[in-house]
Amino acid sequence: MRKTELRQQDILKLIEGLDISPTMYKNATDKYKAVGTYLQEQGLECDIFPQGSFSLGTVVRPYRESKEVDYDLDFICCLGELKEKTTAKYVKNIIKETLCKSEVYKEKLHNKEWDKCWTLEYAEVNGIGFNIDIVPGVAEADDIVQSMINTALSREEAELAVAITDKKGQNYYWCTSNSRAYKNWFEKINNPFLNYNRENRKKVLFEKSRAIYNSIEEIPEGLERSSLQRVIQILKHHRDVYYCRIKKENLKPTSAIITTICAEIAYSMNPSMNVFELLQAIANDFEIYSNNQTLQEEFARQYINKNIIRKRKGKWYIMNPVNPNDNLADSWNDNPEKAEIFFKWVKAMKKDCLDSMNLEDNDFVALLENNFGREYVKKNVKLENYVSAAPNVIMNTPKPWGR
């Protein structure tokens, strides 16, 4: 096996190990559906559905403050109330009040009220725990839906929008989320990548899931991973470690920013590209977009077709593809350091995940240990495949992922 191929396989093996397992996927699915059933039995007309990485198949185990943490899985609970006839405060708190009627859910409910959600904490599975974040909401009002249609969206897309609750201080507000339309948008781009060589990938996945599923046909699509989904997972994990190392975790880009940019770039790519070919193409585009920092208005003229990350009159724009009123880069404009560090991060990502294929063996192993933890690497990578058995020591190595 060629050196580059071996290294790519080992990086993928480490990333796959941070993905949600088939056992936990089934457990989380059963748990959120049970919450929905319970709320309905208590008289709340509601629809509960996944959003974010669990919905998109881009889950990667979070890494914060130099340590592994439990999975955070996000779900929207859309009540059957009319927005015009209720309040954000009522919708937010009726979920908690109803959950607290159950001794089971009352015990699992985190005692802190987050701005947008309530958190249920579940016991560990094979040493790893997970939380279910429940975001209360209602169907978005007709005037908001119409404004989204007038701006850019089809009626079908706009009518999927949900008004979710938000809390600042002691006050409750509404804000618009369109996670179901976003999922549909992402899947249209991802499906060609998912369908390429799909049967072979499903056979491999089935071998890992025999204890849960009796046939390949039973494996849910939510467990399959395309090259695009793997690229996003690589970026999300590298982001977590990089921003932790530079002690700027509060400035890291949201997963929505990473996912949106990657999907937009991948739209024009060949779906037969493997993970590292696609990662290279996306990294190349990131380098081009970094010129926005200095070229600004001239960038649009020099790179006519590059309009995913834009800078106009000193303001950054990364538009949500299913919510024309949502600029994902708003926080970059509030804190310019976020954009500056973002482009430093993508440069470091390219060096660590792509340029590292040309490193000496001991340096490459040291890089893996620095990004994934020494014990986790020793457990999952055959270090005897690398000529130099004693990697260089890198200071400030994060704590191991493995236990």
Side-chain angles (χ1 to χ4, degrees):
M1 183 184 297
R2 291 172 56 244
K3 181 175 73 172
T4 296
E5 185 179 351
L6 171 65
R7 294 181 176 191
Q8 290 177 349
Q9 285 188 5
D10 282 337
I11 290 176
L12 285 177
K13 188 184 299 182
L14 293 169
I15 287 294
E16 288 169 13
L18 301 178
D19 199 346
I20 191 168
S21 68
T23 300
M24 185 170 285
Y25 178 89
K26 185 177 186 305
N27 192 18
T29 300
D30 291 344
K31 293 292 190 295
Y32 92 76
K33 289 182 177 179
V35 170
T37 299
Y38 166 76
L39 293 174
Q40 290 169 354
E41 289 173 347
Q42 296 300 308
L44 287 185
E45 181 186 344
C46 65
D47 180 22
I48 187 167
F49 52 88
Q51 67 165 348
S53 61
F54 190 74
S55 169
L56 303 175
T58 58
V59 174
V60 66
R61 191 171 183 189
Y63 184 84
R64 290 191 287 269
E65 299 179 356
S66 299
K67 63 182 179 181
E68 57 191 1
V69 296
D70 293 342
Y71 288 96
D72 290 319
L73 308 177
D74 297 331
F75 302 86
I76 287 182
C77 184
C78 186
L79 301 187
E81 306 276 345
L82 289 175
K83 182 182 176 184
E84 298 87 347
K85 295 185 178 182
T86 189
T87 65
K89 181 177 182 179
Y90 169 81
V91 170
K92 180 73 177 293
N93 287 288
I94 192 62
I95 297 294
K96 178 186 178 181
E97 292 171 12
T98 307
L99 288 172
C100 286
K101 292 179 181 178
S102 162
E103 290 301 317
V104 173
Y105 290 126
K106 184 178 181 180
E107 183 180 333
K108 296 182 185 303
L109 191 66
H110 195 284
N111 57 15
K112 180 175 180 179
E113 178 182 2
W114 306 104
D115 55 352
K116 291 183 174 67
C117 70
W118 301 106
T119 297
L120 294 173
E121 299 175 320
Y122 285 86
E124 293 185 348
V125 177
N126 298 324
I128 304 173
F130 73 93
N131 303 322
I132 286 182
D133 291 338
I134 301 176
V135 181
V138 298
E140 190 52 277
D142 290 343
D143 59 331
I144 302 295
V145 170
Q146 189 59 52
S147 72
M148 296 171 76
I149 295 171
N150 293 341
T151 307
L153 300 187
S154 69
R155 178 168 295 277
E156 181 182 18
E157 292 171 318
E159 288 180 345
L160 292 174
V162 174
I164 61 173
T165 62
D166 193 4
K167 185 182 183 184
K168 293 181 176 65
Q170 297 302 311
N171 298 314
Y172 292 83
Y173 303 88
W174 295 113
C175 60
T176 301
S177 171
N178 206 358
S179 58
R180 287 176 293 185
Y182 188 95
K183 181 177 187 289
N184 293 341
W185 170 82
F186 180 80
E187 287 181 344
K188 286 178 183 177
I189 297 173
N190 186 52
N191 279 340
F193 293 92
L194 196 63
N195 289 329
Y196 181 79
N197 201 29
R198 189 172 193 173
E199 289 307 310
N200 287 335
R201 287 201 317 275
K202 289 182 74 171
K203 288 177 183 177
V204 173
L205 181 57
F206 177 60
E207 290 303 315
K208 298 177 181 178
S209 312
R210 281 182 177 273
I212 305 170
Y213 303 106
N214 296 317
S215 67
I216 292 178
E217 290 70 29
E218 288 184 16
I219 296 175
E221 188 174 303
L223 282 174
E224 296 183 57
R225 300 292 180 259
S226 69
S227 56
L228 173 57
Q229 288 165 307
R230 286 294 185 217
V231 164
I232 293 170
Q233 289 177 310
I234 289 172
L235 290 175
K236 287 169 63 175
H237 170 69
H238 191 279
R239 168 204 61 185
D240 288 349
V241 175
Y242 177 85
Y243 278 81
C244 173
R245 188 173 297 139
I246 66 171
K247 295 180 170 49
K248 296 284 187 179
E249 290 184 274
N250 61 316
L251 301 181
K252 68 183 182 182
T254 64
S255 294
I257 285 178
I258 292 173
T259 303
T260 300
I261 296 173
C262 287
E264 293 272 23
I265 293 173
Y267 179 75
S268 61
M269 299 296 172
N270 189 327
S272 68
M273 297 173 83
N274 67 34
V275 173
F276 288 90
E277 289 170 340
L278 183 58
L279 181 60
Q280 181 71 65
I282 288 174
N284 291 344
D285 262 25
F286 273 134
E287 283 191 327
I288 293 174
Y289 280 113
S290 69
N291 292 319
N292 255 314
Q293 298 176 96
T294 53
L295 293 177
Q296 298 196 37
E297 303 300 324
E298 186 183 331
F299 182 91
R301 295 189 292 272
Q302 189 167 335
Y303 301 100
I304 298 174
N305 297 320
K306 303 295 182 185
N307 54 17
I308 302 169
I309 306 175
R310 293 175 289 164
K311 194 174 187 184
R312 300 286 184 273
K313 297 181 180 179
K315 290 191 66 176
W316 291 98
Y317 295 90
I318 303 171
M319 301 311 300
N320 185 328
V322 296
N323 187 352
N325 299 315
D326 181 19
N327 176 14
L328 300 174
D330 268 341
S331 66
W332 290 16
N333 299 317
D334 296 334
N335 186 346
E337 189 182 6
K338 284 191 173 185
E340 179 185 341
I341 298 178
F342 175 84
F343 289 110
K344 288 181 179 178
W345 161 60
V346 294
K347 185 176 181 180
M349 178 278 299
K350 181 176 181 292
K351 180 180 179 182
D352 289 350
C353 300
L354 295 165
D355 299 345
S356 61
M357 299 301 142
N358 298 317
L359 293 175
E360 294 295 327
D361 278 359
N362 61 330
D363 292 328
F364 178 74
V365 172
L367 182 67
L368 288 184
E369 292 185 347
N370 202 35
N371 281 291
F372 291 94
R374 180 170 296 175
E375 293 303 315
Y376 183 66
V377 171
K378 284 173 64 178
K379 181 180 177 182
N380 293 279
V381 173
K382 293 182 178 179
L383 295 179
E384 60 267 26
N385 289 332
Y386 296 92
V387 176
S388 303
N392 293 335
V393 175
I394 297 179
M395 301 303 292
N396 299 321
T397 302
K399 293 180 182 179
W401 284 95
R403 293 183 183 271

